[in-house]
Amino acid sequence: MDVTTVEQAQIAEEAGAVSVMVLDKLPSEVRKAGGVARTASIRIIEDIMDSVTIPVMAKCRIGHVHEALVLQETDVDMIDESEVLTPADESHHIWKWDFTTPVVNGARSLAEALRRIEEGASMIRTKGEPGTGNVAEAVTHIKKLNDELRIIKGIYDSGDNQDLVRIARDFKVSYDIVEQTAKLGRLPVVNFAAGGIATPADAAYLMSLGCDGIFVGSGIFNADDAKQRAKAIVLATTFWNESDKVKEAQKMIDERQSMLGLDVKTLELRMQDRGGSA
Amino acid sequence: MSLNVGILSIQGDVQENLLSTKSAIDELGLDVKVSEVKTPNEISQLDGLIIPGGESTTIGQLSLVNGSLKILKEKIENGMPVLGICAGMIMLSKTADDRVIGKTDQPLLDILDIKLERNSFGRQKESFEADVSMDLIGIPKFNGVFIRAPSVSDVGSGVEILSKFNERIVAVKKGNVIGTAFHPELTVDTSLHKYFVNLVNSSKK
C-alpha cells in the first residue's frame, strides 16, 4: 500500500498489507501538483521503517541511479523504479544488477517486463494508470501480458526455435530469457497488479487475471474510509476466489467515499508512457 | 487412503513449498497428496500442514478473520504434524517481538513455547545463505536461505533445538511441530521436506 506518513503505514500493517510503499505524495496528488516528482524524504522513510515490522519500499525516478543508491543506503527492503515520479533518464532504466536491494519495475507488455527483468528487476507490476482510481489500464496491461505469454508458450511447445528468436529480436531482449519465460508459461519473477485499484472488487478482479498480488496507490488513503478500505482490499485480495468474501469486503466500503476517478482517455499526463520505449 | 498434506495459502511462497513437497513425495514414493489450503473446511481434512514463509502479520490477521486460526490450533494441538517456515515459525510461537519495533500484538497460534525475535538478522538487504546442520533429525548439512529471518531467543521445556547459526537458534522441534527460520523450499535439497512427509506418514500409523 502506498503511504505518506507513519500513521498510514500503521493502518496498512494492521489491515494485513504485506508491505508499504513510501511516497512524498500519493500518485493522485502528484498528478494534481504537477512539477517534478522525486523520491520521498529520507527522514520519513526512516520513521516508517522504525514503526512497522513489514517490509518498507520506496520509489525512485526512472533511471535515477543515485536516488536508488540513497534508498539502498537507507536500507529500504525494496526499491520501485517508478513512472509515478518524473523520469530522470528518458532512454535508460537503472542497471539493477549493481544493487543488493531488490528492485521492482512497471510494465505494460511482456516485452517491457522482460527488458526490465534483464536489467535486474526482481519483481514486475503492471503500470496501469496511477492516481486515477480507474482500473481499466491495469486490466488491459495484465491481459496483454497474459496473451503474449500464451503465444510464446505455444511457440515453445511447438518447438519452433526460429520463431522464438524472432520474438526475442522484436522484444529487444535475449533469446535465453524468452525461452525461459516461454518454458515456464509465466514471468520468471512475481508479478503484481498496480495502477488505479480503488475497491475490493477491483483487487479481486486483478487477482483473478493471474496476478500474484496487488499494489494499491491512491485508492486507500485518498478515500474517506481509509481504515476500513485497507482491510477490505486485503480481504478481497486474499480471498479473491470466494465470491461471498469479496462481497463481504465490498460491503465494508462506501462507494460515496471512494476517490473520485479519472477518465483515462482525457488525461493530460499519461504516467504509463514514461520509460516505455526504453 | 492417501494422506493429505496442505500448504497454507493465505500469503507467501506457497508454490515453492508445493513443488518441494511434491518432489519429496515422489522421491519417497509415498501415497501422499499435497494441495493448497485456505478455508477451515480444507484445513479440517489435513493430515499435515506447512505454513510457508511470507508476512506473519498478514498470515495471522487473515487466518484469524476467516476462522482458519482456530481450527489450525485445534488440529496441531491434537497432534497434526506441522512445519512452520520463517513467518510460519513466527505463527507457531508464543511471543514474537520485532528487533526494532519491540512488542507486537499480532495474532499467533501460541503452540510452541519459544520466544522469537522477528527480522533478527536485519532487513531485506542483509538476507543471506549459510550452511546449517540439523543432526537431531539426521540432516548434517543443509543450505539455509535466510530472508528477513527471525531467530529464537529462548525455548521452553520440551522444545528441542535443531539448529543454531551464529549462536542464534534457527530451527526447533517439539513432537510433531517443527519451525525453521530459513527457507528449505528455496533450495534444491528436499531433505527437510522429506523428513516432514515421513513424519506425517508415521504419525498416521
Side-chain angles (χ1 to χ4, degrees), chain B residues 6 12 15 24 29 31 46 56 58 91 117 140 148 153 155 171 174 177 182 189 193 198:
Chain B
Q15 289 306 318
D31 186 16
L46 294 179
S56 60
T58 303
M91 285 303 302
E117 184 184 57
R148 286 172 56 94
S153 45
V155 296
K174 185 178 186 181
V177 182
F182 48 86
D189 186 345
H193 280 82
N198 270 326

Side-chain angles (χ1 to χ4, degrees), chain A residues 255-273:
Chain A
E255 178 52 21
R256 283 167 295 186
Q257 317 219 302
S258 294
M259 71 181 279
L260 185 65
L262 294 170
D263 185 348
V264 258
K265 289 189 210 78
T266 56
L267 289 178
E268 271 174 39
L269 171 62
R270 279 167 58 87
M271 290 174 172
Q272 59 174 282
D273 294 336

